[in-house]
Amino acid sequence: MSVGEQLNRIWDEKLSEFERTIRPQHRKEFQCCIDCADKPNLSSSEYHECLSKCRQPMMMIERSMQQEVAALMDGLSRCAQQCESIARSKITPDMTAPPPAVEQELKKCVSQCEVEHEKLLPALFARMNTFANSFK
């Protein structure tokens, strides 16, 4: 299994675990929306406000998750770009293709980026769990 595949597998496992932990919050949101629908005396605007209040915690959790993922992906991308920059600096204008040693070095560098970012996943999901638990 490649380092990238390993990172994806761990990501999928952690994401599934996180989603299972927030299912009670989803249930709470759905029940809240049902409670809004069970109030026949609400005006249209009151009804939509009620639904918005119900959805707010999950929207905040999802926004937090998107920000965490974006930060992780941004860091991984910056690391890979740095690897590419290092590899480009070893290619001279007279070369028609990068030498195999440079390609290998680039692959090794990018793999190391993936390994380092894999180590960040437990802390990322811990932050997301802490944030999600603040709505219980």
Side-chain angles (χ1 to χ4, degrees), residues 58-126:
M58 282 307 301
M59 286 180 13
M60 291 174 71
I61 291 169
E62 289 168 5
R63 189 175 312 123
S64 173
M65 185 172 165
Q66 289 168 352
Q67 290 169 345
E68 289 283 358
V69 171
L72 179 78
M73 296 308 293
D74 185 50
L76 184 57
S77 177
R78 279 194 319 266
C79 186
Q81 286 172 350
Q82 186 176 6
C83 294
E84 290 171 8
S85 179
I86 292 168
R88 266 190 246 112
S89 72
K90 295 179 180 183
I91 299 172
T92 60
D94 61 322
M95 294 179 178
T96 56
V102 172
E103 286 184 8
Q104 276 303 107
E105 190 176 322
L106 174 61
K107 287 179 184 178
K108 183 178 178 181
C109 183
V110 170
S111 290
Q112 187 60 37
C113 291
E114 292 170 342
V115 167
E116 292 303 314
H117 281 75
E118 179 183 314
K119 293 175 187 175
L120 301 175
L121 292 180
L124 180 147
F125 279 98

Side-chain angles (χ1 to χ4, degrees), residues 7-23:
L7 179 61
N8 285 335
R9 184 186 59 74
I10 291 172
W11 170 261
D12 289 343
E13 287 173 7
K14 293 282 187 186
L15 184 60
S16 290
E17 185 180 315
F18 176 71
E19 288 178 340
R20 281 191 297 276
T21 65
I22 63 171
R23 284 181 188 166

